[in-house]
Amino acid sequence: MGKRKLKSKNSDERFTEEFRAVIDSSTSLSMYNEKRRSVCVIRKNLAKDYEIEVDSSEAPVLNTLLESPQPFESSMASLNILEAEIFPLLDAFKITFGEEKELKLRSIKLAVGGSNDDYVTIREKDLIKYDVKPTLSGLRDFIKENSDSILGFLDSEYISEEGNVIYLKCEKRDVSDNIYSVKIMILASMQQRGYFLQQEHKYYGLQLFIIIESKKPNDDKLLEFIKELGIDWELIFFRRRLAIHDWTEIECQTNSDNLKSFLRVKYDTLNYFDINNIIRLIDKNSLPFNVVDKMGSLLFKMKNERSSQLQENKNYDNLRYDDSLDNGSAHSIDEYSLTLKKAEIAAAAKIACAYLGIQKQITVDRDISDAEILKYQDELTNF
């Protein structure tokens, strides 16, 4: 069986992260982070708590006359869903992004009448005729003023290509500097009908979706909004970091190639010679993974500082890394081209062990003096 290797930094420049978190028995979250785009999808299963009325529709005839296909059943969801699930989302949205921000109402069909056997429907376009703002706030005000006559809301769109029946759709674009859009949808998936029949014994499984698209992952406003929704994102991220760290540690301890890849990806200013010298010292002293990680952090910061000094210093004759210069040009110096001395790596190992409370005598090559190690220890303590 071949050795399992960690992906290098260049294996996929566009895709960076994907994960799913189950919050409770009804709620889950999926995060898809790319280089310049992040998508967060929050899903809540409404079928567990709410009933839906189903009747046959006029689709057998309408679908022969209309271009847009209609569902073969007409279904009505309880108004309690809007009051208990949707309107609190509106409050959370305004708290996070500002009272002046509004979610535009894209699709809804309300049932207005005396009973489930006696009603007519009005859509979002019809609400404008009644001087209702075409927003989620406007819908809330309209329902509040006409609660006695509004029975519920029905399927308003059928997207046959996706197999989705849409009951509610609203969105806000250009929400903030980093957030492209926030969308709220209630839908039933025909593809998942079998699941809901088996698990919930319901023909239609209504689900609430909140979709947030942003320019970068983990934007402050995104996390604030998630927090307002009652989702503890800090716990989710902590669990992921803990799990990934444990997995990385196991992989790196069992395979030196993985350890090299880890250092190269996480501390990208460490070059080929730096990493090989670090691995030699680690193997020679049987140091654990957390020491390697701390060493990498210290040396990474040292190289960054050295590079800045080289760029600013006009007297190149006094530089420690003369052989790294390219024909005396300061512009050729960067963090990667500088190679660490073995004494610097040994000093980092000693500091890392002391920092982590590991009492161990570090064995080094004979050509490295204690005085030189102490000198670099003093420098590294600043990081």
Side-chain angles (χ1 to χ4, degrees):
M1 182 180 291
K3 293 182 178 179
R4 186 178 182 183
K5 294 186 177 181
L6 297 173
K7 286 186 177 181
S8 67
K9 187 176 182 179
N10 295 325
S11 62
D12 193 344
E13 285 291 333
R14 190 177 69 87
F15 182 77
T16 57
E17 186 180 40
E18 171 190 355
F19 69 88
R20 182 173 188 259
V22 176
I23 312 302
D24 54 42
S25 60
S26 299
T27 311
S28 60
L29 176 150
S30 289
M31 193 82 75
Y32 297 85
N33 295 328
E34 298 176 356
K35 195 170 184 179
R36 295 181 179 85
R37 179 172 174 261
S38 176
V39 179
C40 175
V41 178
I42 301 168
R43 182 193 69 90
K44 183 170 184 179
N45 180 2
L46 301 177
K48 291 180 178 293
D49 301 316
Y50 301 98
E51 297 295 330
I52 187 168
E53 299 286 338
V54 182
D55 192 9
S56 60
S57 72
E58 295 74 31
V61 173
L62 286 176
N63 287 346
T64 64
L65 303 173
L66 304 178
E67 293 183 1
S68 301
Q70 302 295 311
F72 286 89
E73 298 91 18
S74 175
S75 50
M76 184 191 301
S78 170
L79 201 62
N80 292 335
I81 295 176
L82 298 180
E83 295 170 344
E85 305 291 345
I86 299 301
F87 297 150
L89 291 182
L90 175 61
D91 294 332
F93 177 83
K94 286 180 171 291
I95 290 171
T96 305
F97 300 107
E99 285 293 329
E100 74 283 358
K101 302 288 185 179
E102 292 288 354
L103 286 158
K104 187 173 180 60
L105 193 61
R106 297 294 187 186
S107 182
I108 195 168
K109 185 193 290 184
L110 297 173
V112 180
S115 69
N116 288 359
D117 299 323
D118 178 23
Y119 68 84
V120 294
T121 64
I122 57 174
R123 298 186 61 91
E124 71 283 350
K125 296 178 182 178
D126 299 318
L127 293 175
I128 300 175
K129 300 176 183 178
Y130 297 96
D131 295 326
V132 177
K133 293 181 180 179
T135 64
L136 197 54
S137 297
L139 177 65
R140 177 165 62 179
D141 294 339
F142 179 78
I143 290 176
K144 185 177 180 180
E145 294 172 1
N146 301 275
S147 57
D148 293 339
S149 59
I150 300 177
L151 306 174
F153 60 106
L154 299 91
D155 51 281
S156 59
E157 292 182 59
Y158 175 50
I159 306 175
S160 58
E161 297 85 356
E162 301 173 3
N164 291 334
V165 178
I166 308 298
Y167 292 78
L168 170 72
K169 182 165 64 176
C170 52
E171 69 174 334
K172 171 63 179 175
R173 297 180 181 177
D174 300 322
V175 181
S176 67
D177 292 340
N178 290 320
I179 295 183
Y180 294 125
S181 66
V182 174
K183 299 177 184 177
I184 297 175
M185 300 175 65
I186 294 178
L187 61 81
S189 171
M190 297 297 98
Q191 308 291 344
Q192 297 175 337
R193 176 176 283 185
Y195 165 81
F196 286 101
L197 278 172
Q198 182 182 35
Q199 297 294 323
E200 308 295 342
H201 307 291
K202 294 179 180 178
Y203 199 57
Y204 276 78
L206 288 192
Q207 300 177 82
L208 166 63
F209 286 91
I210 306 166
I211 306 104
I212 307 119
E213 293 189 65
S214 54
K215 292 181 182 179
K216 61 181 183 179
N218 308 330
D219 177 74
D220 289 343
K221 283 294 183 182
L222 166 64
L223 299 179
E224 184 182 341
F225 183 48
I226 292 175
K227 193 79 169 181
E228 284 293 334
L229 298 179
I231 297 175
D232 190 349
W233 61 265
E234 293 172 319
L235 179 60
I236 294 172
F237 287 5
F238 173 75
R239 285 176 173 171
R240 274 182 49 76
R241 282 196 299 269
L242 188 63
I244 292 172
H245 178 80
D246 290 346
W247 174 86
T248 303
E249 180 175 347
I250 293 170
E251 292 292 321
C252 289
Q253 286 181 338
T254 56
N255 186 349
S256 61
D257 288 339
N258 282 343
L259 182 56
K260 290 179 181 179
S261 295
F262 169 79
L263 291 171
R264 184 164 55 249
V265 171
K266 187 172 183 180
Y267 306 111
D268 55 4
T269 60
L270 299 180
N271 61 33
Y272 172 84
F273 300 104
D274 297 333
I275 292 173
N276 280 345
N277 286 331
I278 291 171
I279 298 300
R280 282 185 66 251
L281 184 68
I282 294 301
D283 291 341
K284 192 171 189 176
N285 292 273
S286 301
L287 296 175
F289 174 77
N290 56 344
V291 172
V292 185
D293 194 13
K294 185 61 179 177
M295 287 175 62
S297 175
L298 290 168
L299 296 171
F300 172 80
K301 293 174 182 177
M302 172 186 269
K303 291 194 76 172
N304 286 343
E305 181 66 22
R306 289 276 176 80
S307 176
S308 298
Q309 291 175 359
L310 285 171
Q311 297 293 346
E312 295 173 0
N313 197 331
K314 296 181 180 180
N315 186 7
Y316 299 116
D317 294 333
N318 296 327
L319 293 177
R320 183 176 293 107
Y321 295 99
D322 293 332
D323 56 344
S324 298
L325 296 174
D326 182 11
N327 297 324
S329 173
H331 296 289
S332 66
I333 295 297
D334 57 27
E335 299 94 328
Y336 190 81
S337 64
L338 302 174
T339 298
L340 294 166
K341 292 185 176 181
K342 289 191 289 184
E344 293 171 331
I345 294 172
K350 286 178 175 287
I351 291 177
C353 287
Y355 178 83
L356 297 168
I358 298 174
Q359 297 181 354
K360 190 173 183 66
Q361 184 68 33
I362 302 297
T363 303
V364 298
D365 294 343
R366 293 181 179 179
D367 59 343
I368 304 174
S369 68
D370 291 339
E372 195 175 12
I373 294 175
L374 286 172
K375 180 180 69 172
Y376 293 126
Q377 277 186 250
D378 290 339
E379 183 179 351
L380 283 166
T381 52
N382 296 323
F383 305 113

